[in-house]
Amino acid sequence: MFSLFKKPKKIGLALGSGGARGLAHIGVIKSLIENSIYPEIITGSSAGALIGGLYSAFASLEEINKIVDSIDHHFIIKLLLEKPGKQGIVRGNKLESFLNDQVGNISIENTKIIFRAIASDLVSGKPYVFDKGSLSTAIRASISIPLFFSPVKLGSAFLVDGGATIPVPVDVARQTGADFVIGVNLYKSYFPISYDKLVKSNVSGLVFSSSQMVLNSLSKENLSLADFPLDLEIPVDNTLDFVKAKKFVDMGYEQTQAKIPSILKKIDK
């Protein structure tokens, strides 16, 4: 129970990067809402920006579930089938058009819930926080995994995946006005990796594991700043297979449900 003698805390939710594992964020939000924990500020990096941005635009899980239910392998292929760009396997134009279709060209200033998306600027080497402008462009920039998606050029900035600088944007939520920040990390399950598996890995596999090691380290550092860290156990499947990843919605929900008593107790302190 929340105390009647305390000013209610403004809840912030920082949703981390993690590719298709990011669908677990839907389950996290569902659990929080069912238990009357309403985030007033949402920040997201990469997959966290995708789910957080869509939810902030609609303030409705039903709308997000409709989108997720429509995803199949044919849809993914259609969305990603573009002429390769010079700086990425996928240019990302179809993806941004799809996002525009879903959110109706809404700007970040007009989302129903305060939202911030985080990208990484290759020019400055620093995080780039979207606090205004096109929501779909912000999401597209935040999920621009290097080599796979072409970077987003915006003014003098050259933007790639937000996970490269702030995979779990707890600090951004606090700077935006949150009194209590719940941080969600999706990298807990990646390590340790089987030695035998690494021995059999090719170059791309080793490069991927190395990048995950950096992201895992950054995520832990970011998560340590949260008032309540949600360190989810989400299996490491194909990073971009959003069809198989639908099972992660339930995992995110169940693991958050188990933490609800602790979250409520911490909020009420």
Side-chain angles (χ1 to χ4, degrees):
M1 294 287 293
F2 293 107
S3 170
L4 297 175
F5 303 100
K6 292 181 182 178
K7 179 183 177 182
K9 293 176 181 176
K10 183 174 287 188
I11 307 299
L13 181 61
L15 302 177
S17 61
R21 296 195 299 277
L23 291 186
H25 291 316
I26 299 173
V28 172
I29 295 170
K30 179 183 177 183
S31 174
L32 294 176
I33 297 304
E34 283 185 358
N35 289 279
S36 300
I37 301 171
Y38 301 104
E40 295 182 62
I41 295 169
I42 298 178
T43 58
S45 275
S46 199
L50 175 62
I51 301 303
L54 290 174
Y55 181 70
S56 297
F58 302 126
S60 166
L61 283 173
E62 289 182 9
E63 293 298 326
I64 298 179
N65 286 329
K66 286 179 186 177
I67 297 172
V68 172
D69 289 343
S70 71
I71 295 174
D72 56 23
H73 287 110
H74 175 73
F75 170 83
I76 295 292
I77 291 171
K78 183 179 177 181
L79 197 63
L80 302 181
L81 195 61
E82 292 183 285
K83 181 181 178 181
K86 180 181 179 182
Q87 297 170 325
I89 297 172
V90 178
R91 292 176 183 268
N93 296 332
K94 287 187 177 180
L95 175 59
E96 188 162 350
S97 294
F98 167 74
L99 290 170
N100 265 324
D101 290 341
Q102 302 307 310
V103 300
N105 295 312
I106 192 173
S107 65
I108 290 175
E109 300 96 311
N110 294 321
T111 53
K112 292 183 178 180
I113 297 172
I114 296 171
F115 176 68
R116 301 288 183 265
I118 291 77
S120 302
D121 182 11
L122 290 177
V123 175
S124 66
K126 297 178 181 180
Y128 186 102
V129 179
F130 281 90
D131 58 4
K132 60 184 177 181
S134 166
L135 176 61
S136 57
T137 298
I139 295 173
R140 158 75 175 87
S142 186
I143 65 177
S144 293
I145 302 169
L147 297 180
F148 191 79
F149 284 113
S150 295
V152 170
K153 303 170 186 67
L154 193 65
S156 60
F158 205 75
L159 304 173
V160 296
D161 195 292
T165 48
I166 312 182
V168 187
V170 172
D171 250 5
V172 178
R174 206 178 304 284
Q175 291 162 10
T176 307
D179 301 313
F180 185 95
V181 183
I182 300 167
V184 186
N185 176 40
L186 301 175
Y187 287 97
K188 183 178 182 180
S189 298
Y190 197 86
F191 294 98
I193 304 174
S194 161
Y195 175 83
D196 291 337
K197 180 179 179 180
L198 288 172
V199 168
K200 297 174 184 177
S201 294
N202 55 24
V203 173
S204 63
L206 292 175
V207 170
F208 179 75
S209 294
S210 298
S211 68
Q212 296 298 290
M213 186 165 58
V214 174
L215 285 167
N216 181 56
S217 179
L218 279 173
S219 294
K220 286 182 178 179
E221 184 180 325
N222 294 163
L223 199 64
S224 69
L225 303 174
D227 297 289
F228 196 96
L230 270 176
D231 214 3
L232 301 184
E233 295 269 8
I234 306 298
V236 181
D237 289 349
N238 188 316
T239 303
L240 295 173
D241 194 338
F242 281 83
V243 179
K244 289 184 178 179
K246 291 181 183 181
K247 60 187 177 184
F248 297 154
V249 176
D250 289 338
M251 291 183 184
Y253 175 79
E254 290 162 4
Q255 291 179 46
T256 305
Q257 282 289 88
K259 297 289 185 179
I260 288 297
S262 299
I263 296 172
L264 289 171
K265 184 177 179 180
K266 194 77 181 287
I267 291 173
D268 202 34
K269 276 189 175 181

